[in-house]
Amino acid sequence: MTEELERIEAEALRTIGDAPSLKELDEADIAYLGRKAGKLTGLLRNIGSLSADQKPLFGQALNEAKARVEAALTDRKALLADAERSARELAETLDITLPGRARPRGRLHPLTTTMNDVKRVMTGLGFEFFDGPDIEEYKYNFDWLNFPPDHPAFDEQASFYVDDTHLLRTQTTALQGRFFELHREPPYRIATVGHCFRYEAVDATHSHTFHQVDGFSVGEGLSLADLKGVLAEFSRGMFGPDVVVRFRPDFFPFVEPGVEVAIKWGDRWLELGGAGLIHPNILRRAGLDTEKYTGFAFGLGIDRMPMIRHKIDDLRLFLDNDLRFLQQF
Ligand code: FA5
């Protein structure tokens, strides 16, 4: 039996020494020291067949063998646990020299930045902003603005009609009537930015859907000089100190006199919009004393502003949503 004990101990120590991982080590633990089927523990059951003087000797030898096997298990366990931790740590190591993954970043559309700049510059000039609806009533888009019913400007600003009383607004000037109905006491400087729509063929400087900024002011003694001063200051704010602004006579039913506003654009002029002194008919309709009050108004195309700022000769590029173009801003 002593030989059997030595054989099993040697086998146990070999198995433990060879165990490649903690899992095999646990299996070896059960196979040799397990309470029920362990090979070493099993030897104890045969102790009854030994003579009385052999029993204590064998018992002691068995206990010593178990102690050695347990010690081997503990040592190997520590070794394997160490190795497994190092392997795991190695696998989890962060290589901080790897290049990062670039996240696609959104940015504002050039028309949005232009509109934000318009608001910033106009606010700096003392204008207060209001919003009007895209689907507008005729009376604000035309009637309030002194358009006689058969006026050719109806054709000029060919419209998308919605029903008998509504259309997609052709000009942000439609805000005037909405504001005048509030009957605020002058002086004031009012502005709005937003969409405009016209039934129009699309080309390099025209679109069916575009944006305008309108501004108007009513007060005592306002003149064309004030209008020109505000527009010149606005243009400098938008296009820099060297901008050249040109005013030429033009006609709009809602101003008298009226002017066209153009900006020097390379060796050409780009029409930015119209302006003038608010027609007395409109001030009267607003319940204002035209002996006391005068006003100026202007309406400018926003889509043409980034064309001037970025020297781009076709406004369709801003609306095509081609990322190769838009990512340059
Ligand atoms: C008007 O719309 C007037 N409401 C401007 C105004 C306001 C005059 C207040 C006097 C007092 P006009 O139709 O010219 O005017 O348009 C003004 C500007 O809007 C144009 O100069 C242009 O810059 C822009 N615009 C007009 N139509 C289009 C279009 N189809 N596509 C892009 N921009 C346009």
Short mmCIF file of all heavy atoms in Angstrom, two decimals, residues 198-239:
data_model
loop_
_atom_site.label_atom_id
_atom_site.label_comp_id
_atom_site.label_asym_id
_atom_site.label_seq_id
_atom_site.Cartn_x
_atom_site.Cartn_y
_atom_site.Cartn_z
N ARG A 198 -41.05 82.42 -54.76
CA ARG A 198 -41.59 83.01 -55.99
C ARG A 198 -41.61 81.96 -57.08
O ARG A 198 -40.70 81.13 -57.15
CB ARG A 198 -40.75 84.21 -56.43
CG ARG A 198 -40.89 85.38 -55.47
CD ARG A 198 -40.18 86.62 -55.94
NE ARG A 198 -40.02 87.53 -54.80
CZ ARG A 198 -39.37 88.68 -54.85
NH1 ARG A 198 -38.83 89.08 -55.99
NH2 ARG A 198 -39.27 89.44 -53.77
N TYR A 199 -42.65 82.06 -57.89
CA TYR A 199 -42.77 81.15 -59.01
C TYR A 199 -41.82 81.64 -60.08
O TYR A 199 -42.14 82.52 -60.86
CB TYR A 199 -44.22 81.13 -59.50
CG TYR A 199 -44.47 80.10 -60.57
CD1 TYR A 199 -44.41 78.75 -60.27
CD2 TYR A 199 -44.74 80.48 -61.88
CE1 TYR A 199 -44.62 77.79 -61.23
CE2 TYR A 199 -44.94 79.53 -62.86
CZ TYR A 199 -44.88 78.19 -62.53
OH TYR A 199 -45.07 77.26 -63.50
N GLU A 200 -40.64 81.11 -60.07
CA GLU A 200 -39.55 81.74 -60.82
C GLU A 200 -38.60 80.66 -61.35
O GLU A 200 -38.36 79.66 -60.67
CB GLU A 200 -38.78 82.64 -59.84
CG GLU A 200 -37.78 83.51 -60.47
CD GLU A 200 -37.69 84.87 -59.75
OE1 GLU A 200 -37.89 84.95 -58.53
OE2 GLU A 200 -37.39 85.82 -60.46
N ALA A 201 -38.06 80.88 -62.55
CA ALA A 201 -37.08 79.93 -63.08
C ALA A 201 -35.79 80.05 -62.27
O ALA A 201 -35.37 81.14 -61.93
CB ALA A 201 -36.80 80.24 -64.55
N VAL A 202 -35.20 78.92 -61.96
CA VAL A 202 -33.98 78.90 -61.15
C VAL A 202 -32.77 79.17 -62.03
O VAL A 202 -32.62 78.59 -63.10
CB VAL A 202 -33.84 77.53 -60.45
CG1 VAL A 202 -32.50 77.41 -59.75
CG2 VAL A 202 -34.99 77.31 -59.48
N ASP A 203 -31.92 80.11 -61.60
CA ASP A 203 -30.64 80.33 -62.29
C ASP A 203 -29.57 80.67 -61.26
O ASP A 203 -29.77 80.45 -60.07
CB ASP A 203 -30.77 81.39 -63.40
CG ASP A 203 -31.10 82.77 -62.82
OD1 ASP A 203 -30.79 83.02 -61.64
OD2 ASP A 203 -31.66 83.61 -63.57
N ALA A 204 -28.42 81.20 -61.72
CA ALA A 204 -27.29 81.39 -60.81
C ALA A 204 -27.60 82.37 -59.68
O ALA A 204 -26.99 82.29 -58.61
CB ALA A 204 -26.07 81.88 -61.60
N THR A 205 -28.55 83.29 -59.89
CA THR A 205 -28.84 84.27 -58.84
C THR A 205 -30.30 84.24 -58.40
O THR A 205 -30.74 85.09 -57.63
CB THR A 205 -28.48 85.71 -59.29
OG1 THR A 205 -29.10 85.95 -60.56
CG2 THR A 205 -26.98 85.89 -59.41
N HIS A 206 -31.08 83.29 -58.90
CA HIS A 206 -32.49 83.18 -58.52
C HIS A 206 -32.85 81.76 -58.12
O HIS A 206 -32.38 80.80 -58.72
CB HIS A 206 -33.41 83.58 -59.68
CG HIS A 206 -33.31 85.02 -60.02
ND1 HIS A 206 -32.35 85.51 -60.86
CD2 HIS A 206 -34.04 86.08 -59.61
CE1 HIS A 206 -32.49 86.82 -60.97
NE2 HIS A 206 -33.51 87.20 -60.22
N SER A 207 -33.72 81.68 -57.13
CA SER A 207 -34.24 80.39 -56.72
C SER A 207 -35.73 80.56 -56.44
O SER A 207 -36.20 81.68 -56.26
CB SER A 207 -33.49 79.95 -55.47
OG SER A 207 -34.00 78.74 -55.02
N HIS A 208 -36.50 79.45 -56.43
CA HIS A 208 -37.93 79.60 -56.10
C HIS A 208 -38.12 79.80 -54.60
O HIS A 208 -39.10 80.36 -54.15
CB HIS A 208 -38.71 78.37 -56.58
CG HIS A 208 -38.05 77.08 -56.20
ND1 HIS A 208 -38.08 76.59 -54.92
CD2 HIS A 208 -37.29 76.23 -56.94
CE1 HIS A 208 -37.37 75.47 -54.89
NE2 HIS A 208 -36.88 75.23 -56.09
N THR A 209 -37.14 79.33 -53.82
CA THR A 209 -37.19 79.49 -52.37
C THR A 209 -35.90 80.18 -51.95
O THR A 209 -34.82 79.69 -52.27
CB THR A 209 -37.29 78.12 -51.69
OG1 THR A 209 -38.44 77.44 -52.19
CG2 THR A 209 -37.40 78.25 -50.19
N PHE A 210 -36.02 81.30 -51.31
CA PHE A 210 -34.81 82.03 -50.92
C PHE A 210 -35.08 82.74 -49.59
O PHE A 210 -36.12 82.49 -48.96
CB PHE A 210 -34.38 83.00 -52.03
CG PHE A 210 -35.45 83.98 -52.44
CD1 PHE A 210 -35.46 85.28 -51.95
CD2 PHE A 210 -36.47 83.60 -53.29
CE1 PHE A 210 -36.44 86.18 -52.31
CE2 PHE A 210 -37.47 84.50 -53.66
CZ PHE A 210 -37.46 85.79 -53.16
N HIS A 211 -34.15 83.55 -49.17
CA HIS A 211 -34.29 84.22 -47.86
C HIS A 211 -34.09 85.72 -48.01
O HIS A 211 -33.28 86.15 -48.82
CB HIS A 211 -33.26 83.68 -46.86
CG HIS A 211 -33.29 82.21 -46.70
ND1 HIS A 211 -32.68 81.35 -47.60
CD2 HIS A 211 -33.87 81.43 -45.77
CE1 HIS A 211 -32.89 80.11 -47.21
NE2 HIS A 211 -33.61 80.12 -46.11
N GLN A 212 -34.83 86.45 -47.22
CA GLN A 212 -34.65 87.90 -47.21
C GLN A 212 -34.52 88.39 -45.77
O GLN A 212 -34.96 87.73 -44.84
CB GLN A 212 -35.86 88.60 -47.85
CG GLN A 212 -35.92 88.53 -49.37
CD GLN A 212 -37.06 89.37 -49.93
OE1 GLN A 212 -38.02 89.66 -49.23
NE2 GLN A 212 -36.95 89.77 -51.19
N VAL A 213 -33.93 89.57 -45.66
CA VAL A 213 -34.00 90.31 -44.40
C VAL A 213 -34.68 91.64 -44.72
O VAL A 213 -34.35 92.28 -45.73
CB VAL A 213 -32.61 90.53 -43.76
CG1 VAL A 213 -31.61 91.09 -44.76
CG2 VAL A 213 -32.72 91.48 -42.55
N ASP A 214 -35.65 91.99 -43.94
CA ASP A 214 -36.31 93.29 -44.10
C ASP A 214 -36.09 94.09 -42.83
O ASP A 214 -36.11 93.53 -41.73
CB ASP A 214 -37.82 93.12 -44.31
CG ASP A 214 -38.23 93.38 -45.75
OD1 ASP A 214 -37.94 92.51 -46.60
OD2 ASP A 214 -38.82 94.46 -46.03
N GLY A 215 -35.89 95.38 -43.00
CA GLY A 215 -35.77 96.25 -41.84
C GLY A 215 -36.55 97.53 -42.13
O GLY A 215 -36.62 97.97 -43.27
N PHE A 216 -37.17 98.07 -41.12
CA PHE A 216 -37.81 99.38 -41.32
C PHE A 216 -37.79 100.15 -40.00
O PHE A 216 -37.68 99.56 -38.91
CB PHE A 216 -39.22 99.27 -41.90
CG PHE A 216 -40.20 98.49 -41.05
CD1 PHE A 216 -41.02 99.15 -40.13
CD2 PHE A 216 -40.30 97.11 -41.18
CE1 PHE A 216 -41.93 98.44 -39.37
CE2 PHE A 216 -41.21 96.40 -40.40
CZ PHE A 216 -42.03 97.06 -39.49
N SER A 217 -37.89 101.45 -40.17
CA SER A 217 -37.82 102.31 -39.00
C SER A 217 -38.80 103.47 -39.19
O SER A 217 -38.96 103.98 -40.31
CB SER A 217 -36.39 102.85 -38.85
OG SER A 217 -36.33 103.75 -37.76
N VAL A 218 -39.48 103.86 -38.15
CA VAL A 218 -40.35 105.04 -38.19
C VAL A 218 -39.95 105.95 -37.04
O VAL A 218 -39.67 105.46 -35.93
CB VAL A 218 -41.85 104.65 -38.07
CG1 VAL A 218 -42.72 105.91 -38.02
CG2 VAL A 218 -42.28 103.75 -39.22
N GLY A 219 -39.88 107.24 -37.33
CA GLY A 219 -39.53 108.20 -36.28
C GLY A 219 -39.70 109.61 -36.80
O GLY A 219 -40.20 109.80 -37.93
N GLU A 220 -39.30 110.57 -36.01
CA GLU A 220 -39.43 111.96 -36.45
C GLU A 220 -38.19 112.33 -37.26
O GLU A 220 -37.06 112.09 -36.83
CB GLU A 220 -39.58 112.88 -35.24
CG GLU A 220 -40.96 112.78 -34.61
CD GLU A 220 -41.15 113.75 -33.45
OE1 GLU A 220 -40.89 114.96 -33.64
OE2 GLU A 220 -41.53 113.28 -32.37
N GLY A 221 -38.43 112.90 -38.45
CA GLY A 221 -37.33 113.44 -39.24
C GLY A 221 -36.42 112.42 -39.89
O GLY A 221 -35.29 112.73 -40.26
N LEU A 222 -36.88 111.19 -40.07
CA LEU A 222 -36.04 110.21 -40.77
C LEU A 222 -36.01 110.52 -42.26
O LEU A 222 -37.04 110.87 -42.84
CB LEU A 222 -36.57 108.79 -40.56
CG LEU A 222 -36.39 108.19 -39.15
CD1 LEU A 222 -36.92 106.76 -39.10
CD2 LEU A 222 -34.92 108.23 -38.76
N SER A 223 -34.83 110.37 -42.87
CA SER A 223 -34.69 110.72 -44.29
C SER A 223 -33.89 109.64 -45.00
O SER A 223 -33.40 108.69 -44.39
CB SER A 223 -33.97 112.06 -44.42
OG SER A 223 -32.61 111.88 -44.07
N LEU A 224 -33.73 109.86 -46.33
CA LEU A 224 -32.92 108.92 -47.12
C LEU A 224 -31.50 108.83 -46.59
O LEU A 224 -30.86 107.79 -46.71
CB LEU A 224 -32.87 109.39 -48.58
CG LEU A 224 -33.92 108.83 -49.55
CD1 LEU A 224 -33.61 109.32 -50.96
CD2 LEU A 224 -33.91 107.30 -49.52
N ALA A 225 -31.01 109.92 -46.00
CA ALA A 225 -29.65 109.91 -45.47
C ALA A 225 -29.53 108.86 -44.35
O ALA A 225 -28.53 108.14 -44.26
CB ALA A 225 -29.26 111.29 -44.93
N ASP A 226 -30.58 108.77 -43.50
CA ASP A 226 -30.56 107.76 -42.44
C ASP A 226 -30.55 106.35 -43.03
O ASP A 226 -29.82 105.47 -42.57
CB ASP A 226 -31.78 107.92 -41.53
CG ASP A 226 -31.80 109.27 -40.84
OD1 ASP A 226 -30.91 109.48 -40.00
OD2 ASP A 226 -32.67 110.10 -41.17
N LEU A 227 -31.40 106.17 -44.07
CA LEU A 227 -31.45 104.86 -44.72
C LEU A 227 -30.09 104.48 -45.29
O LEU A 227 -29.60 103.37 -45.07
CB LEU A 227 -32.49 104.91 -45.85
CG LEU A 227 -32.50 103.70 -46.79
CD1 LEU A 227 -32.92 102.44 -46.05
CD2 LEU A 227 -33.43 103.94 -47.98
N LYS A 228 -29.47 105.43 -46.00
CA LYS A 228 -28.17 105.12 -46.61
C LYS A 228 -27.12 104.84 -45.54
O LYS A 228 -26.30 103.92 -45.70
CB LYS A 228 -27.71 106.30 -47.50
CG LYS A 228 -28.50 106.38 -48.80
CD LYS A 228 -28.09 107.59 -49.63
CE LYS A 228 -26.75 107.38 -50.31
NZ LYS A 228 -26.45 108.50 -51.24
N GLY A 229 -27.18 105.59 -44.47
CA GLY A 229 -26.23 105.37 -43.37
C GLY A 229 -26.38 103.98 -42.78
O GLY A 229 -25.39 103.26 -42.57
N VAL A 230 -27.63 103.57 -42.54
CA VAL A 230 -27.87 102.25 -41.94
C VAL A 230 -27.42 101.15 -42.89
O VAL A 230 -26.76 100.19 -42.49
CB VAL A 230 -29.37 102.09 -41.58
CG1 VAL A 230 -29.72 100.64 -41.33
CG2 VAL A 230 -29.71 102.92 -40.34
N LEU A 231 -27.76 101.31 -44.21
CA LEU A 231 -27.38 100.26 -45.16
C LEU A 231 -25.87 100.18 -45.37
O LEU A 231 -25.31 99.10 -45.53
CB LEU A 231 -28.09 100.49 -46.50
CG LEU A 231 -29.56 100.02 -46.51
CD1 LEU A 231 -30.25 100.42 -47.81
CD2 LEU A 231 -29.65 98.51 -46.29
N ALA A 232 -25.22 101.34 -45.34
CA ALA A 232 -23.76 101.33 -45.48
C ALA A 232 -23.13 100.64 -44.27
O ALA A 232 -22.21 99.81 -44.41
CB ALA A 232 -23.24 102.76 -45.62
N GLU A 233 -23.65 100.96 -43.10
CA GLU A 233 -23.11 100.36 -41.87
C GLU A 233 -23.38 98.85 -41.85
O GLU A 233 -22.51 98.04 -41.50
CB GLU A 233 -23.77 101.03 -40.65
CG GLU A 233 -22.95 100.99 -39.39
CD GLU A 233 -21.50 101.38 -39.61
OE1 GLU A 233 -21.20 102.50 -40.12
OE2 GLU A 233 -20.64 100.53 -39.30
N PHE A 234 -24.59 98.48 -42.27
CA PHE A 234 -24.94 97.07 -42.35
C PHE A 234 -23.98 96.33 -43.30
O PHE A 234 -23.46 95.26 -42.98
CB PHE A 234 -26.39 96.91 -42.83
CG PHE A 234 -26.78 95.49 -43.13
CD1 PHE A 234 -27.11 94.61 -42.10
CD2 PHE A 234 -26.79 95.02 -44.44
CE1 PHE A 234 -27.45 93.30 -42.38
CE2 PHE A 234 -27.14 93.70 -44.71
CZ PHE A 234 -27.47 92.83 -43.68
N SER A 235 -23.73 96.94 -44.47
CA SER A 235 -22.86 96.30 -45.46
C SER A 235 -21.44 96.14 -44.94
O SER A 235 -20.80 95.11 -45.16
CB SER A 235 -22.85 97.11 -46.76
OG SER A 235 -24.16 97.28 -47.23
N ARG A 236 -20.96 97.14 -44.24
CA ARG A 236 -19.62 97.03 -43.66
C ARG A 236 -19.59 95.90 -42.63
O ARG A 236 -18.64 95.13 -42.58
CB ARG A 236 -19.19 98.35 -43.02
CG ARG A 236 -18.66 99.35 -44.05
CD ARG A 236 -17.92 100.51 -43.36
NE ARG A 236 -18.86 101.48 -42.79
CZ ARG A 236 -19.39 102.49 -43.47
NH1 ARG A 236 -19.08 102.67 -44.74
NH2 ARG A 236 -20.23 103.31 -42.88
N GLY A 237 -20.65 95.81 -41.83
CA GLY A 237 -20.73 94.75 -40.82
C GLY A 237 -20.74 93.37 -41.45
O GLY A 237 -20.20 92.42 -40.89
N MET A 238 -21.35 93.27 -42.63
CA MET A 238 -21.47 91.95 -43.27
C MET A 238 -20.28 91.62 -44.16
O MET A 238 -19.87 90.47 -44.25
CB MET A 238 -22.75 91.90 -44.13
CG MET A 238 -24.04 91.88 -43.35
SD MET A 238 -24.20 90.44 -42.25
CE MET A 238 -24.25 89.08 -43.41
N PHE A 239 -19.77 92.63 -44.89
CA PHE A 239 -18.78 92.33 -45.93
C PHE A 239 -17.41 92.96 -45.68
O PHE A 239 -16.52 92.83 -46.50
CB PHE A 239 -19.31 92.79 -47.31
CG PHE A 239 -20.68 92.26 -47.63
CD1 PHE A 239 -21.77 93.10 -47.74
CD2 PHE A 239 -20.88 90.89 -47.81
CE1 PHE A 239 -23.03 92.61 -48.03
CE2 PHE A 239 -22.14 90.38 -48.10
CZ PHE A 239 -23.22 91.25 -48.20
#
